[in-house]
């Protein structure tokens, strides 16, 4: 009886092995998915965790789209570029809109009117109206500034601080305060 039992065990074992073998041959992984297990040693701080990448045949590679560079504000541009490209043309436009004509306007590194120290000066002559000198102590729009005014064909007699309480100097602020000073002296209109 024991012999029969041993023979049965052997037959059962053979049947089980054949069945397992044929089942494993029938089960196949799909061709489109492959699992790769990689150790990510170079970028990961925890090297013990494996990284699993799932790839399939219809993946489209991801393209890195660069972010557009944000242009710096015009007030942060180099001093001469700010004055010559932005400030002077804007002043001309604003003064012309008020029906006045500019004979000349320019930026020079010269002596400040009245004080006589060397600094950057925007000198402007408005036809039959006035002259003004907007001075910057350094080639920086945030540096100390002053303004002087005079009637045509006269020299200035007063130098005044300009935008001393402002924390943030902008193009629009400079233009509005120049026009405010000219208007305050009734040179470009009435109050």
């Amino acid at each position: 009886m024991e012999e029969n039992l041993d023979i049965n065990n052997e037959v059962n074992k053979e049947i089980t092995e054949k069945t397992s073998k044929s089942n494993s041959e029938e089960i196949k992984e799909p061709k489109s998915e492959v699992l790769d297990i990689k150790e990510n040693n170079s970028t990961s701080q925890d090297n013990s965790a494996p990284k699993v990448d799932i790839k399939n045949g219809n993946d489209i590679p991801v393209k890195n789209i660069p972010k557009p560079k944000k242009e710096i504000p015009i007030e942060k541009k180099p001093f001469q570029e700010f004055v010559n490209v932005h400030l002077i043309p804007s002043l001309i436009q604003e003064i012309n809109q008020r029906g006045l004509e500019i004979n000349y306007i320019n930026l020079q590194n010269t002596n400040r009117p009245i004080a006589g120290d060397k600094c950057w000066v925007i000198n402007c002559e408005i036809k039959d109206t006035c002259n003004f000198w907007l001075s910057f102590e350094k080639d920086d729009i945030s540096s100390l500034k002053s303004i002087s005014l005079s009637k045509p064909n006269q020299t200035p007699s007063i130098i005044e601080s300009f935008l001393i309480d402002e924390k943030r100097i902008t193009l629009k602020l400079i233009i509005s305060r120049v026009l405010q000073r000219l208007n305050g002296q009734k040179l470009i209109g009435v109050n």
Side-chain angles (χ1 to χ4, degrees), residues 36-41 44 46-53:
D36 292 333
I37 299 178
K38 299 177 183 177
E39 292 276 336
N40 190 356
N41 293 331
S44 177
D46 183 7
N47 291 340
S48 62
K51 181 178 174 184
V52 177
D53 291 337

Side-chain angles (χ1 to χ4, degrees), residues 41 54 73 90 102 132 144 150 152 171 173:
N41 293 331
I54 298 178
S90 296
I102 294 181
F132 72 86
L144 293 176
S150 76
L171 175 66
L173 181 63

Side-chain angles (χ1 to χ4, degrees), residues 108-123:
Q108 293 180 331
N109 192 358
T110 187
N111 294 332
R112 184 189 329 235
I114 304 167
D117 59 328
K118 195 160 180 126
C119 62
W120 289 97
V121 179
I122 297 174
N123 183 3

Side-chain angles (χ1 to χ4, degrees), residues 21 29 45 55 62 79 81 117 137 140 150 163 182 184:
K21 200 176 202 183
E29 289 185 26
Q45 290 180 359
K55 300 176 185 176
V62 178
F79 177 76
E81 180 183 346
D117 59 328
E137 190 175 275
D140 179 8
S150 76
L163 296 176
L182 296 173

Side-chain angles (χ1 to χ4, degrees), residues 12 14 22 33 57 63 70 87 97 101 108 110 171:
N12 283 339
E14 282 180 32
S22 64
E33 281 192 18
K63 294 180 182 176
K70 223 179 188 183
L87 181 58
Q97 283 180 353
E101 185 181 330
Q108 293 180 331
T110 187
L171 175 66

Side-chain angles (χ1 to χ4, degrees), residues 34-102:
V34 177
L35 293 177
D36 292 333
I37 299 178
K38 299 177 183 177
E39 292 276 336
N40 190 356
N41 293 331
S42 60
T43 58
S44 177
Q45 290 180 359
D46 183 7
N47 291 340
S48 62
K51 181 178 174 184
V52 177
D53 291 337
I54 298 178
K55 300 176 185 176
N56 56 28
N58 51 359
D59 277 348
I60 299 172
V62 178
K63 294 180 182 176
N64 290 336
I65 301 172
K67 292 182 182 178
K69 285 188 177 180
K70 223 179 188 183
E71 187 153 334
I72 63 170
I74 58 174
E75 291 83 7
K76 301 276 185 194
K77 292 189 176 184
F79 177 76
Q80 289 192 20
E81 180 183 346
F82 171 78
V83 171
N84 290 317
V85 175
H86 301 286
L87 181 58
I88 290 176
S90 296
L91 276 170
I92 292 169
Q93 181 182 6
E94 289 291 327
I95 291 170
N96 288 341
Q97 283 180 353
R98 286 162 174 72
L100 301 169
E101 185 181 330
I102 294 181

